Amino acid sequence: GYLNQPELTAERFIENPFYDEHQANSSPRLYKTGDLVRYLPDGNLEFIGRVDDQVKIRGFRIELGEIEAQLGQIDTVESSLVMAKDLAGGQQLVGYIKPNTEIEEQEHEVFIRGVLATLKEQLPDYMVPSFIMVVDDWPLTPNGKVDRKALPVPDNSALQGEYIAPSTETERVLVNIWSELLNIAPESISVTANFFELGGHSLMTLKLLLFIQQRVQKACDLSTLFLKSTVQSQALLLDSQKDGYENAELLLKMGNSSAPKEGIIFIPGAAATANDFKDVIQYLGTDNNVEIGVLRHKGSIYGEDYFSSIEENINEFALSLEKLIYKKVTLIGHSYGGALALALANCMYKKGYQIELIMLDTYFEQEKQKALHVQHATPSARIKNTEIPPYLFDLYFHHVHLFNSFEPVILDEIPTTLVFANESSISKIDYKKYLNKNYRANIKFEAVGGDHFTMLKGKNAKAISAIIKG
C-alpha cells in the first residue's frame, strides 16, 4: 500500500477476483497500474495507453495518446502533447507541438494548418484538436517531466489571418453570436475567420443554429452551417434567403452533378442532421453520374412544425425524390432514419423506381425486443447541462414515439443490407434470428467498427462508404 494514504491504497490495491489460496503465487490483492491494454489473438498483451489519459469530449471517449501517436507520425513534428482544457464554453482538445526544425513565428499559421489538414485525414473530427500551439522548447518540472501548467494558453488569433471587420447588419449580428458562443471579444473576430478553427464544434453549432434562427429570422439547416463556416459566407447565405421557414427544402443536395443517372440519399436518425453523414459522404467521393443528397427532418429548423406521422413524412419525402431526373436510388438511413428509409423504399419501389436499401444500426419493434432501452423522460428533464437546444429535444422524443409505433414491411424485391455497429450493446445474433424468423426477407448483414454513433465517423465511415459502393 501507500504509506499514510489509505484512500489511494484502497483505489490502487484492489481485491483479486482470481485469487486462489491453493496456489503459491496467487495474491489476495492486485495493483491497479492504470495502464490500458488488450489481449492479442496470440495471448500477448498490447499496451494502448494510460487510463488517466482518457477524456470525454462531447460524449465521445478519447485516448489522448492516440492523437499524440498520429501527430508523431507527421514528418514535420518532433514531439507533441495533447490536453483537454475548458475553453470557449466547454471542454476542448488542445495540441502542443514542437516542430523538428525551427519555425519563425509568422510561419506558425501555415504550419498549424498543415498539421490540422493531415490529422483530419487520419482521425474523426471529434478527435482533431480545436487548437494547435507551437512550442520551441518544452517547459520542464524539476524531475524532468513536461510542466503542463506552464504551457501557454491557446491563442486562436493566429488562425484568423488578416482581420476584416463586419460591414453589414447580418455580419454584425453573426459576430455577436459567435462572440457569445466562443467567449471571444467581438472586435477580434474577423468575418473571414473559420468557426471551427476558433474552437467551435458540432454541438456548439446547434446553439449557433438556434441563435441565428431566433435573431435573424431566416430558415437555416445545420448541414449548411458546416459548409458555410465563416461569418461572411453565413451572412451571404442568410441575406439571399426569404424570411420564414415555409419554403425550406427537405432534400439537401451535397454535390454539383450536372446530369446524374442515379442517387445516393441519406436519412439521419432521430432529430439528427446531414452532419452525421459528413465523413461517409467525404469517403464516397465525387462522381458526375451519382448525386448525393440528405433528406432532413421537418422540425430541424427552429419554429417549423413536425410531421405528425410516418405516413405524412414518407409522402413528403417521396414528393422530393420525384422531382429528381433519375429512377435509380440507394436509400441509406441511420437508426430511426433506417425505418424511414425502409418505408420510403417501399413507397418508391411501388412507383417504379429501382431501389436499394441500407439501414445503419436500425432495430425494429424496440419495445417488444427490449433491444434498445429508450429513456422516456420528459425533454426538459434531459436538457440540463447540455448544449442541445430544447426544440431539438422535443423533436427527438417525437421521433422516438413514431419509431416505437412503426411496423416494418420488408420486401424481398428490394435489395436490403443491414449494417451493425460492432460495439453496440445489442445482440446481433439474436436480432438476425428475429428478423429472419419474423420477416423471412433476403437481408444481407454487414458489420463495421464503433458504437451506434461513432460508426459514422473516421475509418468506420470509410467502411460504410465501401459497403455503399458495393
Side-chain angles (χ1 to χ4, degrees):
Y2 289 95
L3 182 63
N4 299 326
Q5 297 186 64
E7 291 184 1
L8 189 58
T9 297
E11 178 187 340
R12 291 293 187 176
F13 288 85
I14 61 175
E15 290 185 14
N16 182 359
F18 310 106
Y19 173 59
D20 185 349
E21 61 180 2
H22 303 295
Q23 289 190 9
N25 294 324
S26 185
S27 167
R29 296 275 173 185
L30 293 176
Y31 177 64
K32 189 177 181 180
T33 67
D35 296 319
L36 185 66
V37 301
R38 65 180 172 192
Y39 271 113
L40 298 177
D42 62 5
N44 281 316
L45 289 171
E46 179 184 13
F47 174 74
I48 297 173
R50 292 284 302 169
V51 173
D52 48 19
D53 279 345
Q54 283 189 349
V55 296
K56 204 167 187 179
I57 303 288
R58 302 187 289 281
F60 295 105
R61 192 168 294 282
I62 295 170
E63 279 288 347
L64 299 179
E66 188 174 345
I67 305 172
E68 291 170 355
Q70 288 293 340
L71 285 168
Q73 294 178 22
I74 299 175
D75 293 338
T76 54
V77 174
E78 178 191 286
S79 53
S80 65
L81 187 148
V82 179
M83 299 172 62
K85 287 179 171 284
D86 283 319
L87 299 164
Q91 279 255 301
Q92 305 273 17
L93 292 175
V94 180
Y96 295 91
I97 297 174
K98 181 179 180 182
N100 55 17
T101 57
E102 189 173 338
I103 297 177
E104 298 294 332
E105 187 171 348
Q106 60 268 26
E107 297 174 350
H108 283 189
E109 179 187 346
V110 175
F111 174 74
I112 291 170
R113 289 187 187 278
V115 169
L116 285 171
T118 303
L119 279 184
K120 287 173 182 176
E121 292 176 359
Q122 305 297 327
L123 296 172
D125 53 0
Y126 63 87
M127 291 183 68
V128 177
S130 300
F131 304 93
I132 294 282
M133 298 203 68
V134 176
V135 295
D136 297 322
D137 290 295
W138 296 109
L140 301 177
T141 62
N143 61 3
K145 293 184 178 180
V146 175
D147 186 352
R148 295 173 178 241
K149 293 180 180 179
L151 288 168
V153 176
D155 178 14
N156 48 35
S157 60
L159 291 173
Q160 292 206 57
E162 180 186 359
Y163 172 77
I164 300 176
S167 58
T168 68
E169 181 58 28
T170 305
E171 286 183 352
R172 282 187 279 274
V173 172
L174 287 172
V175 163
N176 287 326
I177 292 173
W178 282 33
S179 170
E180 188 175 335
L181 289 174
L182 298 169
N183 197 25
I184 300 173
E187 60 271 15
S188 66
I189 298 177
S190 171
V191 295
T192 56
N194 187 293
F195 183 75
F196 302 103
E197 291 178 355
L198 295 185
H201 50 73
S202 55
L203 278 181
M204 196 183 290
T205 312
L206 290 170
K207 274 192 173 180
L208 174 62
L209 174 70
L210 177 62
F211 288 164
I212 286 175
Q213 291 167 352
Q214 287 177 331
R215 300 178 192 181
V216 186
Q217 293 294 305
K218 293 287 185 73
C220 188
D221 185 79
L222 188 64
S223 58
T224 310
L225 291 184
F226 279 87
L227 299 173
K228 310 289 185 182
S229 54
T230 68
V231 167
Q232 201 171 61
S233 60
Q234 289 176 3
L236 286 171
L237 171 73
L238 293 168
D239 287 340
S240 69
Q241 293 180 344
K242 297 178 181 178
D243 294 339
Y245 313 114
E246 46 291 338
N247 296 317
E249 293 287 342
L250 291 176
L251 178 61
L252 308 170
K253 296 179 182 179
M254 310 302 285
N256 297 309
S257 297
S258 55
K261 297 177 181 177
E262 61 181 280
I264 297 175
I265 308 297
F266 293 86
I267 305 178
T273 69
N275 181 59
D276 281 10
F277 299 116
K278 185 176 61 147
D279 288 7
V280 179
I281 291 172
Q282 180 181 337
Y283 281 116
L284 282 175
T286 56
D287 184 338
N288 197 47
N289 293 320
V290 180
E291 184 164 71
I292 297 175
V294 182
L295 285 162
R296 71 172 185 86
H297 296 300
K298 201 173 178 185
S300 61
I301 293 175
Y302 178 75
E304 187 180 43
D305 292 333
Y306 314 147
F307 288 121
S308 59
S309 66
I310 286 181
E311 291 74 20
E312 181 190 2
N313 193 157
I314 296 308
N315 288 336
E316 291 296 322
F317 276 2
L319 288 174
S320 294
L321 294 189
E322 286 173 346
K323 296 176 184 177
L324 304 174
I325 62 174
Y326 43 82
K327 290 280 187 176
K328 183 179 180 182
V329 179
T330 300
L331 290 171
I332 302 151
H334 175 242
S335 192
Y336 169 64
L340 296 180
L342 171 61
L344 183 59
N346 294 346
C347 175
M348 300 309 292
Y349 176 77
K350 292 172 183 176
K351 291 177 179 287
Y353 282 75
Q354 183 181 345
I355 300 293
E356 290 189 20
L357 173 64
I358 299 175
M359 293 176 280
L360 308 175
D361 234 33
T362 299
Y363 297 89
F364 300 120
E365 296 185 302
Q366 299 169 31
E367 291 186 336
K368 294 179 186 177
Q369 282 288 304
K370 301 297 182 186
L372 293 179
H373 301 288
V374 180
Q375 296 181 16
H376 293 284
T378 58
S380 59
R382 300 190 58 195
I383 291 170
K384 190 177 180 181
N385 299 325
T386 181
E387 296 179 71
I388 299 176
Y391 80 97
L392 285 180
F393 265 101
D394 293 341
L395 179 62
Y396 170 78
F397 281 97
H398 178 65
H399 285 164
V400 168
H401 171 71
L402 295 181
F403 197 5
N404 285 338
S405 61
F406 178 71
E407 296 183 4
V409 176
I410 305 176
L411 301 178
D412 273 328
E413 295 84 355
I414 299 176
T416 300
T417 303
L418 203 154
V419 182
F420 291 122
N422 275 333
E423 296 172 25
S424 174
S425 59
I426 299 162
S427 169
K428 287 77 170 175
I429 295 174
D430 291 344
Y431 192 66
K432 285 180 186 178
K433 291 178 181 177
Y434 159 75
L435 284 178
N436 290 328
K437 176 183 176 182
N438 288 274
Y439 298 101
R440 297 184 176 86
N442 184 22
I443 303 174
K444 182 181 177 183
F445 296 98
E446 298 279 1
V448 298
D451 59 27
H452 189 64
F453 299 102
T454 59
M455 70 182 299
L456 301 175
K457 303 294 182 182
K459 60 185 178 182
N460 306 324
K462 188 175 183 179
I464 289 175
S465 73
I467 294 170
I468 294 169
K469 291 176 181 178

